[in-house]
Amino acid sequence: MAEAKKRWLKLDNAAKIYPAAKRRRWSSVFRVSVTLSEEISPLTLKKAIRRAAKRFPSFFVRLRRGMFWYYFEEVPAPAPEKDDAFPCRRMTRAELSRCAIRILYYRDRIAVELFHAVTDGNGAMIFLKSLVAEYLRLQYGAEIPSEAGVLNLNDEPKPEELEDSFLKNEDGCVSAGRGADNAFYLRGTRFRTDFLSLTTGMMPVDIVTEKAKQGNVSVTVYLAACLICAIEHIQKKTVGKRKHYKPVKLLIPVDLRKFYESETLRNFVLYITPGIDPKSGEYTFEETLKAVHHQMGGELTRQNFNAKIRANVRSEKAFILKIMPLFIKNWAMRLVYNLVGEKKSCLTLSNLGPIQIPEEMKKYVRRFDFVLGAQAKNNFNCAVLSYQGKLYCNVTRSVKEPLLERELFPLLVEKGIPVEIESNFYQEDLPH
Amino acid sequence: MSYCVKCGVKLSPGSKSCPLCGTAVISPEEQETAVPTFPRNPKSPPGQRIRRSTVALLLELLLILPPAVCLICDFVPDRSLGWSYIVLASILLAGVFILPPVWKGKKFLPFYFFLDFSAVGGFLAFLCAFTGGNWFWESSLQVLLLAAAEVYIAWVVRIKTKISALRFAALILTEIGFFCLGLEILLNRAYHFHSMPVWSLYPLVALSAIGVILTVIDRDPALKEKLARKFFT
Ligand SMILES: [Zn+2]
């Protein structure tokens, strides 16, 4: 490939924080994976990746430093690698300057791990589905139509898929503030390496939906309330007096594609932070459910999003920021991230919802997973999706103690939801 | 299929213990069918790390190299040692600064603090004696003690109080201002330049003013948010 022909992309508005805030413990990597019914053939996978790279140019990029901003530059598709002992291994600066995407395989599973600045969970899922459809076509000669989020690899990439939807949808008029109290912090003993423990809770979707319906809320709200109750229980056990209690809040990304009918394959989410403040008094589960439902209902409006997008975009357009050299901007952003970044919430809960795929694919595909990597400070994260009647709740942690898992899953069992547990953490691997 | 008796969750076939609470599974029947969710990679178990003592030893060996070369260079031409003492002392100083933290970690911070300042004092006293002057006892020692006191104050404040980052920055700036003032007073006393402080008043006033501004910003969460937003692109 000639040097001059390489395409390059500006980082989208939401993505800018990721390169600046990254460091040893945190590189904001997330992962989507699919489990098929048979062992993966690396050769076929390699071919499928090469085909997909043409359709998804914004995914096969490397991070480069400019004078004033980071930017992405296209790279040739990487070969698939064997899966590591744990998900979402951090991407070092050296790795990011080679390629910001990783495609991994292990037994019957294909996983895509991405630097978060490239895209968000929904964008990654469209990529994964299209990649797997192509893999199935090549491996089994399956005829899979391009529908239900599977893109036709013979098409040219559309300009609207590469657009920064934040810039396009700036039409509000008020700036939304980011002020709030710091949230309760889940402590723990960090693993000595970058190891990330993944515990998956699998439960029947229909029972969870039924429980959510009984409370007149959505599945996301129901799970959020369960998480908040679990965290509140931990706070109750570890913090003495109620007046020292901190708010228990979650960071929940909302996919804006539906709100704005955007087709972008880059970052297009905003965050809301529902939660409770137990300082003033105890919350029952029902009260928590109601509180979260109310807060999410109130925040999930187009007007609210307009305001938030405007606040984001306006600060990007500030003249002084445009001309400030990158290293100073990085320093300032890192400082601000340390001051306010993650402290406003206990952890992230991201729900991709039910995964739809073309009918013809279903007999090959057993399972989907969505996993969030570790954060700089917050020790736990939770990512959810459902497929074929099963809900997969992936809790990741960068500390030894399964604090959250130990509260959350038994709580779900107590609510009458049968939970099956799977984990990549073996106590005996820890040095004593 | 086995269930955890404590948590009530179903466990994947072949599990020996519950991943949530660690309770052992009483009858793990399907041992053979257990498939780990991830390859159990012996190369990266959760808790392996380069040993500190190895790093310390390597650094020590690296530090020995330059003085050895210097000693040879200094000794060979005239069969006596001269300037290489300074090199030796500098390397020793660097060793005192680098090796203990690398070797023992953050646990003994107060001890390192004491050790480092004593080492700098010793180094300066040696230089003073070597060059045949008296400047160390006249002024440097006092300046060093002043610096040590200020670093100690900042360190105690940082550890013992939950001071915010902005207020801490304000404290550091103010301390630098006062250090300038102290420096000038000490130099004036030793060498009689002026009877009153002259140049140090400028940094003192400027840095204290910035300190006050930072403290005021810190008091207003809304303003802090606004400034944060300006940088948060
Ligand atoms: Zn258990």
Side-chain angles (χ1 to χ4, degrees):
Chain A
M1 196 194 290
E3 197 66 30
K5 275 179 86 181
K6 278 181 186 164
R7 243 186 295 193
W8 69 279
L9 283 166
K10 223 178 120 181
L11 265 68
D12 57 67
N13 182 285
K16 292 220 167 82
I17 187 64
Y18 296 113
K22 85 174 281 293
R23 69 201 90 165
R24 209 183 88 76
R25 280 294 183 184
W26 184 53
S27 53
S28 55
V29 174
F30 72 98
R31 160 187 181 119
V32 284
S33 69
V34 65
T35 310
L36 303 182
S37 48
E38 278 180 46
E39 190 116 343
I40 304 297
S41 148
L43 267 176
T44 316
L45 181 58
K46 199 175 171 183
K47 275 183 218 155
I49 295 170
R50 234 184 272 149
R51 296 258 300 128
K54 291 201 187 76
R55 182 69 184 82
F56 292 87
S58 65
F59 282 65
F60 294 86
V61 289
R62 61 173 173 162
L63 185 68
R64 308 217 61 184
R65 285 178 82 109
M67 183 67 183
F68 299 109
W69 293 113
Y70 282 100
Y71 63 95
F72 283 132
E73 186 184 85
E74 248 180 273
V75 289
E81 301 164 59
K82 280 222 170 108
D83 215 340
D84 216 337
F86 56 93
C88 302
R89 182 163 45 85
R90 78 187 169 105
M91 288 188 177
T92 57
R93 187 180 294 182
E95 193 176 355
L96 279 173
S97 67
R98 283 195 304 272
C99 191
I101 186 172
R102 230 185 252 150
I103 298 168
L104 307 158
Y105 63 95
Y106 169 65
R107 290 171 178 271
D108 48 4
R109 184 176 66 204
I110 300 173
V112 175
E113 293 188 350
L114 280 159
F115 184 45
H116 210 323
V118 174
T119 183
D120 53 31
N122 289 285
M125 194 45 94
I126 293 176
F127 171 72
L128 178 69
K129 285 196 280 193
S130 307
L131 176 72
V132 170
E134 185 61 18
Y135 174 86
L136 295 174
R137 283 181 206 125
L138 293 173
Q139 181 76 0
Y140 303 106
E143 283 186 24
I144 295 161
S146 301
E147 57 182 38
V150 172
L151 300 188
N152 187 348
L153 296 189
N154 294 319
D155 289 349
E156 282 293 307
K158 293 188 211 162
E160 52 267 39
E161 288 166 4
L162 304 177
E163 82 185 7
D164 182 350
S165 296
F166 283 104
L167 290 175
K168 206 184 141 204
N169 292 299
E170 180 212 359
D171 59 351
C173 56
V174 273
S175 294
R178 292 182 193 181
D181 284 338
N182 285 355
F184 174 62
Y185 175 58
L186 283 160
R187 275 168 213 291
T189 330
R190 289 251 169 162
F191 289 122
R192 284 180 166 186
T193 58
D194 303 315
F195 184 78
L196 191 69
S197 164
L198 167 66
T199 308
T200 311
M202 291 165 278
M203 43 209 119
V205 172
D206 45 349
I207 301 186
V208 183
T209 317
E210 180 60 40
K211 296 280 164 196
K213 234 179 229 159
Q214 281 170 18
N216 283 323
V217 295
S218 70
V219 170
T220 308
V221 171
Y222 186 80
L223 289 175
C226 288
L227 266 171
I228 288 170
C229 279
I231 298 167
E232 170 56 6
H233 202 225
I234 298 168
Q235 172 156 249
K236 222 189 228 165
K237 276 198 274 188
T238 50
V239 181
K241 289 180 188 140
R242 185 164 284 280
K243 66 171 181 184
H244 296 310
Y245 279 20
K246 292 248 174 81
V248 176
K249 279 188 289 191
L250 307 179
L251 191 73
I252 302 184
V254 181
D255 183 18
L256 297 180
R257 289 177 183 78
K258 288 166 219 150
F259 283 88
Y260 292 95
E261 283 159 20
S262 163
E263 276 186 65
T264 186
L265 289 173
R266 307 182 65 195
N267 276 294
F268 199 34
V269 289
L270 272 183
Y271 295 93
I272 53 174
T273 51
I276 58 171
D277 190 355
K279 200 173 284 177
S280 42
E282 207 162 324
Y283 276 75
T284 64
F285 181 75
E286 279 68 31
E287 283 163 354
T288 310
L289 208 59
K290 227 169 254 166
V292 175
H293 180 64
H294 249 82
Q295 291 167 35
M296 283 184 65
E299 285 200 62
L300 284 174
T301 62
R302 208 182 147 114
Q303 289 70 28
N304 202 336
F305 287 138
N306 280 343
K308 282 192 179 182
I309 290 176
R310 195 174 162 76
N312 279 343
V313 171
R314 207 169 59 177
S315 49
E316 181 182 335
K317 283 187 174 165
F319 177 70
I320 183 77
L321 272 173
K322 276 191 175 164
I323 59 162
M324 204 187 277
L326 181 61
F327 72 95
I328 299 179
K329 253 185 306 225
N330 270 352
W331 183 79
M333 279 161 81
R334 191 171 296 197
L335 187 83
V336 171
Y337 189 86
N338 286 344
L339 283 175
V340 290
E342 288 171 23
K343 292 181 182 165
K344 306 297 177 206
S345 59
C346 307
L347 56 89
T348 308
L349 167 66
S350 186
N351 186 2
L352 286 186
I355 302 300
Q356 310 293 345
I357 53 173
E359 204 58 43
E360 291 83 347
M361 260 171 98
K362 284 188 179 156
K363 66 172 175 179
Y364 301 103
V365 177
R366 285 197 304 153
R367 167 175 175 179
F368 279 100
D369 274 286
F370 177 35
V371 180
L372 291 174
Q375 274 176 293
K377 191 157 183 300
N378 288 343
N379 292 322
F380 293 84
N381 263 331
C382 182
V384 181
L385 58 72
S386 60
Y387 172 69
Q388 296 280 67
K390 246 188 188 179
L391 186 138
Y392 299 91
C393 175
N394 281 307
V395 179
T396 40
R397 65 170 200 271
S398 41
V399 293
K400 291 175 187 165
E401 302 83 1
L403 275 181
L404 181 69
E405 297 91 315
R406 207 157 54 196
E407 294 292 337
L408 175 68
F409 294 122
L411 176 73
L412 290 167
V413 171
E414 201 181 291
K415 300 261 171 253
I417 302 167
V419 182
E420 191 182 340
I421 294 290
E422 211 178 70
S423 171
N424 74 330
F425 176 69
Y426 301 92
Q427 195 68 41
E428 60 267 28
D429 284 353
L430 273 185
H432 297 288
Chain B
M1 280 296 140
S2 30
Y3 285 81
C4 173
V5 285
K6 215 170 145 196
C7 309
V9 296
K10 192 159 134 191
L11 302 174
S12 48
S15 307
K16 284 179 191 146
S17 62
C18 168
L20 306 183
C21 63
T23 308
V25 176
I26 302 158
S27 56
E29 302 130 19
E30 303 142 72
Q31 284 286 337
E32 290 76 21
T33 57
V35 176
T37 53
F38 276 82
R40 284 182 75 175
N41 188 350
K43 268 192 301 180
S44 56
Q48 213 173 49
R49 189 161 54 168
I50 303 164
R51 293 225 309 274
R52 280 170 190 277
S53 50
T54 323
V55 180
L57 186 67
L58 281 174
L59 276 176
E60 214 163 325
L61 290 174
L62 274 177
L63 282 176
I64 286 171
L65 206 68
V69 173
C70 286
L71 278 176
I72 295 168
C73 290
D74 194 21
F75 187 71
V76 167
D78 54 359
R79 306 276 152 192
S80 70
L81 288 175
W83 54 269
S84 54
Y85 283 121
I86 296 180
V87 179
L88 273 179
S90 323
I91 300 274
L92 203 66
L93 182 67
V96 169
F97 265 84
I98 299 167
L99 289 178
V102 173
W103 195 11
K104 286 289 172 197
K106 275 199 230 164
K107 265 181 286 179
F108 305 102
L109 268 179
F111 176 69
Y112 301 152
F113 171 76
F114 180 74
L115 192 70
D116 290 349
F117 271 102
S118 322
V120 172
F123 179 71
L124 290 176
F126 166 78
L127 273 188
C128 183
F130 193 80
T131 53
N134 204 25
W135 48 267
F136 178 71
W137 307 105
E138 279 169 353
S139 55
S140 297
L141 179 62
Q142 289 89 326
V143 173
L144 188 66
L145 287 174
L146 178 67
E150 294 207 339
V151 172
Y152 185 73
I153 291 171
W155 178 68
V156 167
V157 168
R158 183 74 194 169
I159 298 291
K160 301 286 176 198
T161 64
K162 282 184 180 172
I163 192 167
S164 73
L166 272 180
R167 266 172 212 248
F168 188 63
L171 174 72
I172 297 284
L173 288 176
T174 316
E175 277 201 337
I176 294 174
F178 275 103
F179 178 76
C180 292
L181 182 68
L183 180 70
E184 190 175 18
I185 291 174
L186 287 172
L187 290 179
N188 282 348
R189 258 189 39 191
Y191 307 111
H192 314 290
F193 293 134
H194 305 280
S195 54
M196 288 292 291
V198 182
W199 59 266
S200 62
L201 293 175
Y202 298 103
L204 177 68
V205 170
L207 291 170
S208 310
I210 298 173
V212 171
I213 291 170
L214 289 182
T215 315
V216 170
I217 291 175
D218 192 59
R219 280 178 46 175
D220 187 344
L223 178 61
K224 229 166 47 169
E225 284 290 332
K226 190 167 175 176
L227 289 174
R229 201 157 59 225
K230 284 285 170 209
F231 289 112
F232 214 138
T233 39

